[in-house]
């Protein structure tokens, strides 16, 4: 069946609501409107106002009350309207959602999913295009997930709702309307996935950049490079095994994300890969990221966002002519 | 006599009370006086609570606790509110509310675990229906609202009572919580212990409204102003609020006799005259005088309660004076439901260091 990513997410929510009476969906405009991206379209009608409802407009309130509800045995799935509008909830997320299991020695479980449409590329004006993943991945106790395809959006959201741990579910809003089959491989939530195999270089991507990385792999054929693409899917906990197996095989890697590079999630990926695969590397692991600037206005965002050319340029810089490496191998 | 006060969005101009500061009953009481049995229990629990508090302060001076925020002077709030709670109700306390916890039946050593520093929490919240002691100010208000709303959705007859301070009423979460509670008509009681200070900052720099209880009207939440040193009145208003089935904001006017914590120097921001005036309004003395004048509390019973309090404190002392082992491996537990590979590796590395 062919669906958009938004449609796949809608289906996942509907199936979870139908399967488990403790699942609730709430947030801003998620009821009658179906969410500003229509991800909750029709759910309030089908499941009623006690299961799917609009809340007062207050993000800390949404997450804080979700914590209380989860303590009382429910499984809230809440929506933040946009990435930057989740910041008012940051204290509840970092000080409580992430820590309560540990604080209570496992007595309190918080199966809360916070859905956050994130990233740029939709011509959004200021505050509508942030890639905020690193704020969450830096917080132990959170699981941070971001799908790259409609099929994975369905599967990962179902898995996130079933998870006993709190999940920050980052939805790449520029891919909401991308279509795909609901029939991909059944991969456990915490595993990365090789989306395309190749022998020369590994592109490590997630969320909105998975499609860009796959396009790059196609374009690279003309340049004579056989590119492998790894889709991280779950950013934390990190799947070192899948990523390192790929990099050890290819000996070269580029990490791609929309977020600013400095102190970004990609820095962690580069560090982990370097620490674990150093002797297999023919070149430093490079990053292609957004610049270290506040997210630019829509008329300029194309210059900020990583694209195929920029990724190909990075691949070209991976010391392909290094005689020493050629001679002695890695 | 049954009093049915109409629930009003605005509080009374003067705090509601049942007992004057000398322990005499107020003329024309605005609330129903609790039963004698309740009053005796309020007294007993306040005496034990105060002794526990003094013991905890002493243990801090001896280095057994990392820090202790005393609630001396606030016993009427802590005990009155907790005794008003039903067995199915939930309490969402702060760092200040150790006396409330032990009154609820939480193990006293477990109550002090956070402050002793061995772990962040020393009890199972589900055992006595007490949320974790909350340090980030006002964040627990939203947990209480969510919990109470969930109970409503599940068809359970459970209310939640959240404790917060005067300073915490300035935090955004308090306002979001009052608003959510009003919109959802959640069965939740906000008990503001207005002890006059947020560490050093006096109420005058915190609030411009006629009272903290006045804030309820902005959210459609009925509000009550009560004398926070009158345990009978606190008990009565919390009971009323719990039975209403909807949200209530209660401001209890009280005073923190000790410094903010043992690490604070209160002489930098308040006078001893001010403290003396509040010592004169002591909440324990007040109930004691009333019960004595009614002939309900004689010397024998007073001595028995005092002895019980001593025993309670001695047990706490013994528990806290025992050196405890703190297993470093525990840091890695319960970060996620299933330990991640990375955490297992880090735990093993630390175990190697400490072996
Ligand atoms: C969000 C937040 N900001 C600051 C602090 C530091 N802090 C701890 S207690 C306190 C004062 C709180 O005053 P109040 O709410 O009146 O409660 P009280 O301590 O008087 O019981 C402050 C500023 C904190 N714990 N949380
Ligand atoms: Mg205070």
């Amino acid at each position: 069946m062919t669906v958009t990513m938004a449609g796949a997410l809608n289906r996942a929510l509907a199936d979870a609501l139908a399967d488990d009476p403790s699942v609730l969906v709430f947030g801003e405009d998620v009821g009658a409107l179906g969410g500003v991206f229509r991800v909750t379209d029709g759910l309030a009608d089908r499941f009623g106002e006690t299961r799917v409802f609009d809340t007062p407009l207050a993000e800390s309130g949404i997450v804080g009350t979700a914590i209380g509800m989860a303590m009382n045995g429910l499984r809230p799935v809440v929506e933040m309207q946009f990435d930057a509008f989740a910041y008012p909830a940051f204290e509840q997320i970092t000080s409580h959602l992430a820590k309560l299991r540990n604080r209570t020695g496992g007595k309190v479980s918080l199966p809360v999913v916070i859905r956050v449409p994130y990233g740029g590329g939709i011509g959004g004006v200021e505050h509508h295009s942030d890639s905020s993943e690193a704020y969450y991945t830096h917080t132990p106790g959170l699981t941070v997930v971001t799908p790259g395809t409609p099929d994975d959006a369905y599967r990962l959201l179902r898995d996130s709702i079933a998870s006993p741990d709190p999940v920050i579910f980052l939805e790449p809003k520029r891919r909401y309307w991308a279509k795909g089959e609901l029939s991909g491989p059944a991969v456990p939530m915490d595993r990365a996935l090789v989306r395309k195999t190749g022998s020369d270089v590994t592109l490590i991507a997630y969320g909105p950049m998975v499609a860009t990385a796959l396009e790059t792999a196609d374009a690279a054929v003309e340049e004579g490079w056989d590119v492998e693409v790894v889709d991280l899917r779950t950013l934390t906990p990190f799947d070192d095994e899948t990523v390192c197996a790929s990099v050890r095989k290819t000996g070269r890697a580029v990490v791609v994300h929309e977020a600013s590079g400095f102190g970004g999630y990609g820095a962690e990926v580069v560090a982990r890969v370097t620490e674990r695969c150093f002797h297999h590397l023919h070149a430093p692991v490079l990053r292609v990221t957004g610049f270290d600037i506040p997210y630019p206005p829509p008329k300029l965002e194309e210059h900020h966002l990583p694209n195929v050319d920029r990724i190909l340029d990075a691949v070209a810089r991976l010391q392909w002519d290094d005689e020493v490496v050629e001679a002695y191998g890695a | 006599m049954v009093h049915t006060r109409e629930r009003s969005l605005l509080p009374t101009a003067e705090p509601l009370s049942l007992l004057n500061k000398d322990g005499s009953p107020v003329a024309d009481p605005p609330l129903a006086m609790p039963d004698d049995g309740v009053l005796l229990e309020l007294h007993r629990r306040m005496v034990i609570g105060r002794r526990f508090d003094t013991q905890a302060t002493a243990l801090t001076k001896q280095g057994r606790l990392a820090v202790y925020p005393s609630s001396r002077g606030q016993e009427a709030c802590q005990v009155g509110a907790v005794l008003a709670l039903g067995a199915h109700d939930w309490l969402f306390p702060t760092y200040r509310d150790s006396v409330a916890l032990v009154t609820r039946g939480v193990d006293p050593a477990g109550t002090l675990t956070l402050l002793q520093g061995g772990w962040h929490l020393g009890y199972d919240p589900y055992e006595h229906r007490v949320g974790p002691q909350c340090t980030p100010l006002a964040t627990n208000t939203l947990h209480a609202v969510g919990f109470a709303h969930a109970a409503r959705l599940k068809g359970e007859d459970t209310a939640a009572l959240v404790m917060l301070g005067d300073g915490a009423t300035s935090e955004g979460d308090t306002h979001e919580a009052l608003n959510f509670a009003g919109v959802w008509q959640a069965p939740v009681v906000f008990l503001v212990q207005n002890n006059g200070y947020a560490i050093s900052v006096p109420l005058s720099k915190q609030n411009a409204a006629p009272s903290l209880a006045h804030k309820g009207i902005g959210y459609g939440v009925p509000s009550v102003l009560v004398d926070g040193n009158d345990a009978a009145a606190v008990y009565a208003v919390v009971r009323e609020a719990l039975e209403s089935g909807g949200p209530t904001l209660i401001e209890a006017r009280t005073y923190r006799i000790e410094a903010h914590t043992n690490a604070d120097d209160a002489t930098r921001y308040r006078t001893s005259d001010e403290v003396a005036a509040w010592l004169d309004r002591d909440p324990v003395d007040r109930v004691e005088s009333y019960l004595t004048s009614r002939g309900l509390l004689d010397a024998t019973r007073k001595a028995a309660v005092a002895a019980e309090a001593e025993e309670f404190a001695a047990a706490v002392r013994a528990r806290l004076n025992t050196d405890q082992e703190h297993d470093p491996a525990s840091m890695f537990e319960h970060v996620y439901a299933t330990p991640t590979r990375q955490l297992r590796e880090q735990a093993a590395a630390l175990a190697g260091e400490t072996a």
Side-chain angles (χ1 to χ4, degrees):
Chain A
M1 202 187 70
T2 308
V3 288
T4 61
M5 184 183 281
L9 292 165
N10 180 270
R11 243 182 123 81
L13 291 171
D15 291 352
L17 282 158
D19 287 356
D20 180 351
S22 67
V23 173
L24 298 181
V25 171
F26 57 93
E28 297 160 7
D29 301 292
V30 302
L33 183 68
V36 293
F37 292 105
R38 304 295 182 270
V39 171
T40 58
D41 188 32
L43 298 180
D45 267 353
R46 182 167 159 204
F47 295 97
E49 276 253 9
T50 53
R51 306 278 312 278
V52 180
F53 51 91
D54 291 326
T55 64
L57 214 168
E59 293 75 13
S60 187
I62 292 167
V63 175
T65 54
I67 290 169
M69 292 184 197
M71 284 181 74
N72 202 353
L74 300 180
R75 297 184 100 83
V77 183
V78 304
E79 177 173 308
M80 300 283 107
Q81 204 154 65
F82 282 87
D83 32 60
F85 307 138
Y87 300 148
F90 198 66
E91 182 184 25
Q92 288 289 351
I93 294 172
T94 51
S95 289
H96 292 305
L97 190 66
K99 290 180 174 171
L100 260 161
R101 174 187 297 286
N102 182 251
R103 179 181 305 146
T104 62
K107 299 291 195 297
V108 173
S109 242
L110 296 177
V112 174
V113 178
I114 303 182
R115 296 180 34 246
V116 188
Y118 85 119
I122 61 157
V125 295
E126 199 188 2
H127 309 296
H128 292 77
S129 300
D130 281 13
S131 289
S132 39
E133 63 269 27
Y135 301 133
Y136 305 113
T137 57
H138 192 60
T139 304
L142 298 176
T143 299
V144 182
V145 174
T146 180
T149 66
D151 170 63
D152 231 16
Y154 178 85
R155 197 180 303 282
L156 284 171
L157 186 51
R158 291 301 305 269
D159 289 349
S160 296
I161 296 170
S163 169
D165 291 310
V167 177
I168 307 295
F169 192 88
L170 300 169
E171 300 173 359
K173 63 173 92 81
R174 67 196 283 192
R175 308 293 179 205
Y176 269 146
W177 305 282
K179 288 194 172 136
E181 293 299 312
L182 271 190
S183 61
V187 191
M189 178 180 174
D190 60 354
R191 300 314 298 259
L193 189 61
V194 177
R195 288 277 172 202
K196 178 194 167 296
T197 53
S199 53
D200 294 335
V201 52
T202 302
L203 294 183
I204 303 168
Y206 55 87
M209 286 292 110
V210 172
T212 310
L214 288 169
E215 274 175 55
T216 306
D218 284 345
V221 175
E222 266 178 48
E223 315 281 332
W225 291 310
D226 185 16
V227 173
E228 178 148 312
V229 175
V230 175
D231 174 359
L232 294 179
R233 306 171 75 239
T234 290
L235 305 186
T236 46
F238 188 76
D239 180 1
D240 287 299
E241 206 180 322
T242 303
V243 171
C244 289
S246 172
V247 176
R248 286 188 187 125
K249 182 182 79 178
T250 61
R252 290 179 171 84
V254 176
V255 184
V256 187
H257 62 58
E258 284 190 14
S260 302
F262 193 90
Y265 182 76
E268 176 65 24
V269 178
V270 172
R272 301 186 79 81
V273 168
T274 307
E275 285 162 4
R276 287 163 179 76
C277 310
F278 187 72
H279 292 293
H280 299 267
L281 288 171
H282 302 308
V285 181
L286 297 182
R287 284 172 291 167
V288 178
T289 70
F291 298 114
D292 295 330
I293 54 172
Y295 197 88
K299 299 277 195 270
L300 294 172
E301 71 178 335
E302 63 171 305
H303 303 290
H304 175 68
L305 292 169
N307 57 26
V308 171
D309 287 343
R310 221 174 260 168
I311 301 169
L312 283 176
D313 281 352
V315 171
R317 283 186 281 120
L318 291 172
Q319 304 189 6
W320 297 96
D321 303 325
D322 192 321
E323 293 288 324
V324 180
V325 170
E326 281 299 293
Y328 298 102
Chain B
M1 188 171 68
V2 177
H3 297 255
T4 44
R5 279 180 340 104
E6 204 177 313
R7 280 166 61 76
S8 158
L9 290 179
L10 278 176
T12 47
E14 290 303 315
L16 300 178
S17 63
L18 283 167
L19 299 175
N20 295 309
K21 73 172 187 177
D22 64 359
S24 60
V26 300
D28 197 13
L31 302 158
M33 181 67 86
D35 298 342
D36 292 348
V38 170
L39 292 168
L40 283 167
E41 186 63 1
L42 286 169
H43 171 260
R44 174 175 162 260
R45 293 295 192 159
M46 283 166 73
V47 171
I48 294 172
R50 174 164 295 182
R51 186 62 191 87
F52 167 80
D53 189 84
T54 318
Q55 184 59 63
T57 298
L59 285 163
T60 312
K61 288 187 181 135
Q62 294 153 17
R64 287 290 176 180
L65 299 182
V67 64
Y68 183 68
S70 166
S71 60
R72 189 181 182 87
Q74 300 182 208
E75 294 88 350
C77 297
Q78 307 238 328
V79 173
V82 167
L83 291 190
L85 286 176
H88 287 283
D89 297 330
W90 269 71
L91 174 69
F92 288 85
T94 73
Y95 54 87
R96 175 79 59 211
D97 305 315
S98 298
V99 170
L101 267 68
V102 298
T103 305
R104 183 70 172 165
V106 176
D107 171 50
T111 297
L112 294 175
T113 297
L114 166 74
L115 305 161
Q116 181 259 348
W119 194 249
H120 309 302
L121 187 75
Y123 55 92
D124 176 351
Y126 293 100
E127 190 184 345
H128 295 282
R129 299 177 179 248
V130 176
Q133 292 144 307
C134 186
T135 305
L137 296 171
T139 52
N140 56 337
T141 56
L142 286 162
H143 307 162
V145 173
F147 198 100
H149 187 55
R152 170 74 54 78
L153 292 175
K154 289 161 63 180
E156 292 167 358
D157 187 18
T158 297
L161 183 140
V162 57
M163 299 182 113
L164 63 155
D166 44 296
T169 66
S170 298
E171 291 281 3
D173 275 4
T174 302
H175 299 267
E176 295 192 15
L178 283 165
N179 190 47
F180 273 67
V183 171
W184 288 345
Q185 283 300 297
V188 59
V189 182
F190 298 79
L191 178 65
V192 178
Q193 294 178 81
N194 175 2
N195 61 10
Y197 291 89
I199 307 185
S200 66
V201 180
L203 186 69
S204 59
K205 292 189 180 163
Q206 208 72 247
N207 168 63
S211 76
L212 295 175
H214 271 79
K215 297 183 193 246
I217 192 170
Y219 306 104
V221 172
S223 300
V224 178
L225 178 61
V226 68
D227 182 337
N229 283 22
D230 179 345
V234 171
Y235 177 92
V237 296
V238 172
R239 242 307 141 82
E240 260 188 14
L242 290 167
E243 281 164 5
S244 76
T248 310
L249 170 61
I250 299 174
E251 174 189 355
R253 293 254 171 95
T254 184
Y255 196 77
R256 192 194 74 211
I257 297 297
E258 298 284 341
H260 172 69
T261 66
N262 54 293
D264 174 41
D265 175 7
T267 63
R268 293 177 72 100
Y269 53 83
R270 67 185 194 184
T271 64
S272 53
D273 284 356
E274 183 182 294
V275 180
W278 279 92
L279 283 170
D280 190 40
R281 303 171 55 84
D282 188 76
V284 185
D285 290 351
R286 193 182 303 198
V287 174
E288 201 164 290
S289 303
Y290 175 71
L291 289 170
T292 307
S293 73
R294 292 262 327 274
L296 293 165
L297 187 65
D298 59 9
T300 316
R301 182 171 166 108
K302 256 172 83 170
V305 170
E308 192 186 352
E310 277 313 317
E311 225 173 277
F312 194 87
V316 173
R317 212 160 45 232
R319 297 269 299 279
L320 271 289
N321 278 328
T322 312
D323 287 318
Q324 289 167 33
E325 289 289 323
H326 301 295
D327 181 5
S330 66
M331 299 191 295
F332 299 96
E333 287 165 13
H334 306 296
V335 179
Y336 295 92
T338 309
T340 64
R341 171 192 298 248
Q342 287 85 359
L343 286 178
R344 286 199 307 268
E345 285 170 7
Q346 291 172 23
L350 178 63
E353 270 179 34
T354 53

